[in-house]
Amino acid sequence: MASGVRDPREIRSWDDEVDVLVVGLGAAGAAAALEASRAGAATLVLERAGGGGGTSAMSGGVLYLGGGTALQKACGFEDSAEEMFKYLMASSGLTPDEAKIRRYCEDSVEHYAWVVAQGIPFKSTFYHGCSGEPPTDDGLVWSGAENAHPFRDVARPAPRGHVPQMTFQTGPLLMQKLCAAVDASPARVETNHRCVALVQEPDGSIVGAVAESFGRTRSVRVRRGVVITTGGFILNDEMLAAHQPLAARCRLRVAADGDDGSGIRLGIAAGADTIHMDAASISLPVTQPWGLKRGVLVNAQGQRFINEDTYYGRLGERALFHHGGRAWLVVDDEIFEKPDYDFALAAVGETPGELEREMGLPPGSLEATLALYNRHAARGCDPVFHKQPEYVKPLVKPPFGAIGCSTDDALYAAFTLGGLRTDLDGRVLDPEGQPIAGLFAAGRASSGIAVGSYSSGLSLGDGTFFGRCAGRAAVRGR
Ligand SMILES: Cc1cc2nc3c(=O)[nH]c(=O)nc-3n(C[C@H](O)[C@H](O)[C@H](O)COP(=O)(O)OP(=O)(O)OC[C@H]3O[C@@H](n4cnc5c(N)ncnc54)[C@H](O)[C@@H]3O)c2cc1C
């Protein structure tokens, strides 16, 4: 058998026996453990760190939910599962998983109620002016590109970023509450246990797992199912080199140590298929505050390549994957303000031509781009990239500046989106599309609904949602 997999005949005596084993206690693992244990299954969670939380506890804590949640209604916004479905289908890459998106949208109102029932507080107020976690404790934000071209013409826009009540970066609160709910549930949690192998019968079914803890090996027999919720692989240089080498250039690969792809590799060793391994969320939050959306983002040829008012995750993906991670946001004196995050002016000039020379761009390139942009902006429109009129104004007041948006001088934050291929119940599939009996996955160990272009909150949103689905399906067993 492949490494990472043990034959049950190799195991002389089992150290433990449970119905459901959850591997990894981030947001997806907590959701799986809660559903499995509350359904009456003897559930064990093995977590390799000294405590639960994972990358989820280091995140912004935003959950992408909609379809008319209680919070959206309380803030006065109308939404429907159908509009949410249309947006996600249009914005989630070239090959969106229609069935998963459909289920996620239809059950989103219920999922929000479940999140609240775990003790996670949300303030019924809306914050306008940022994409993702707000600088306040407000509960609802825009967290995608719903208002921007081309999506505003595809689906009726609605804010869907649900943010637990805490000022700034709310991931720690989210995980504190979810881990407390797991502690209060019948599930058992063993920390400092790193899962190193699945136990697989010759017929392919998964019947247990092997973990290591402080040099000791421990085997767990599993009667119903193993759920892999070990996070993504942004910290694994070899896997990045194989699947998405450009992501390795990002300065900020924020993740808990566990994001090294170990769970994905356990699944592969057991015969699992993987999909969208090249997909990654790449944030380039240069247009915060939103007034900076009035700038123009150009590449190394001095050309615009996207509507600057779109979600900053789309700016990052386009700049990195299509323009080699070399870009600048060009501003004039009228619109310049200090970016919220760590971005700096890379060049300044009294004229577009001088700025272009300072930036080392081809002669005339930026001048031509600004001339075209300004010609249309004088009439308040952008026929080239269709930026919303409120962010379109001629850039004419010197001095002109270029905010550095290249991977060597700017904040690019990355995490991976691809992983084990799963169905609607979180069952892990082999390359023929057949479920591997007894094996489930959720969160960023699996490929979720954001597999090409990201909206903030989709990872925690689909991780907790499909984590719950996987937990329930694991109880039903092989
Ligand atoms: C700066 C930043 C901000 C973000 N903000 C948001 C946001 O606002 N909204 C959003 O939706 N997403 C956000 N994300 C992305 C999101 O945080 C992650 O994609 C998400 O937390 C993944 O959840 P998970 O449960 O799959 O994995 P994790 O939370 O990483 O949990 C996996 C757990 O498994 C454990 N583990 C790993 N391997 C093993 C093993 N072999 N054996 C046992 N245990 C193991 C790990 O230690 C870890 O505790 C952000 C990411 C970054 C980098």
Side-chain angles (χ1 to χ4, degrees), residues 24 26-28 47-48 55-56 59-62 195 254 259 262 444 457 459-460:
E47 164 55 51
R48 81 188 225 186
T55 302
S56 307
S59 75
V62 180
C195 184
V254 177
D259 272 14
S262 68
R444 295 294 62 82
S459 188
L460 294 170

Side-chain angles (χ1 to χ4, degrees), residues 113-419:
W114 181 88
V115 172
V116 172
Q118 308 319 306
I120 297 160
F122 292 85
K123 190 173 171 188
S124 297
T125 46
F126 170 65
Y127 183 87
H128 185 79
C130 73
S131 311
E133 65 263 35
T136 62
D137 67 349
D138 294 308
L140 190 67
V141 289
W142 293 102
S143 65
E146 297 87 351
N147 270 316
H149 176 81
F151 309 110
R152 63 172 186 247
D153 300 321
V154 171
R156 192 181 58 225
R160 303 193 179 101
H162 290 57
V163 197
Q165 186 177 359
M166 188 172 134
T167 303
F168 203 60
Q169 220 189 8
T170 61
L173 174 67
L174 177 81
M175 285 316 297
Q176 187 196 329
K177 297 287 184 189
L178 282 179
C179 288
V182 172
D183 284 343
S185 79
R188 269 191 295 140
V189 177
E190 303 269 6
T191 56
N192 296 307
H193 278 74
R194 179 194 173 103
C195 184
V196 293
L198 296 171
V199 182
Q200 188 170 34
E201 290 282 2
D203 71 1
S205 54
I206 302 300
V207 293
V210 175
E212 283 176 358
S213 178
F214 299 115
R216 206 170 61 88
T217 301
R218 183 168 164 199
S219 57
V220 181
R221 185 158 180 264
V222 180
R223 290 182 289 260
R224 291 163 185 260
V226 175
V227 187
I228 296 180
T229 47
T230 46
F233 61 93
I234 194 68
L235 298 184
N236 186 314
D237 287 335
E238 269 178 31
M239 287 175 80
L240 279 191
H243 300 291
Q244 187 42 275
L246 284 169
R249 290 196 202 163
C250 293
R251 214 172 72 193
L252 199 63
R253 289 197 260 159
V254 177
D257 290 350
D259 272 14
D260 62 359
S262 68
I264 297 174
R265 294 199 309 278
L266 290 178
I268 293 171
D273 195 12
T274 54
I275 48 169
H276 299 302
M277 294 291 278
D278 60 343
S281 162
I282 310 289
S283 290
L284 180 65
V286 65
T287 48
Q288 304 260 105
W290 279 1
L292 287 169
K293 292 180 178 189
R294 293 174 294 172
V296 298
L297 193 62
V298 299
N299 61 15
Q301 288 73 41
Q303 309 288 314
R304 285 177 79 206
F305 53 89
I306 194 166
N307 45 322
E308 295 82 2
D309 61 341
T310 197
Y311 171 56
Y312 58 64
R314 299 184 77 82
L315 300 183
E317 283 165 38
R318 196 66 65 86
L320 182 64
F321 296 148
H322 299 268
H323 299 275
R326 293 201 68 207
W328 296 262
L329 185 73
V330 174
V331 295
D332 71 354
D333 195 49
E334 176 102 24
I335 69 159
F336 178 71
E337 53 190 317
K338 195 176 168 317
D340 285 348
Y341 294 91
D342 190 14
F343 289 89
L345 279 173
V348 180
E350 283 304 313
T351 63
E354 191 182 322
L355 181 67
E356 175 186 281
R357 280 191 296 281
E358 287 292 310
M359 294 164 72
L361 299 182
S365 58
L366 181 64
E367 279 184 313
T369 294
L370 280 181
L372 178 67
Y373 179 79
N374 286 342
R375 191 176 113 208
H376 294 297
R379 289 183 292 111
C381 64
D382 171 24
V384 181
F385 287 104
H386 309 282
K387 188 154 64 166
Q388 295 162 84
E390 67 181 292
Y391 298 115
V392 177
K393 77 162 282 304
L395 301 175
V396 288
K397 186 168 177 213
F400 298 89
I403 300 171
C405 294
S406 298
T407 43
D408 47 6
D409 62 3
L411 173 83
Y412 278 73
F415 61 91
T416 57
L417 295 169

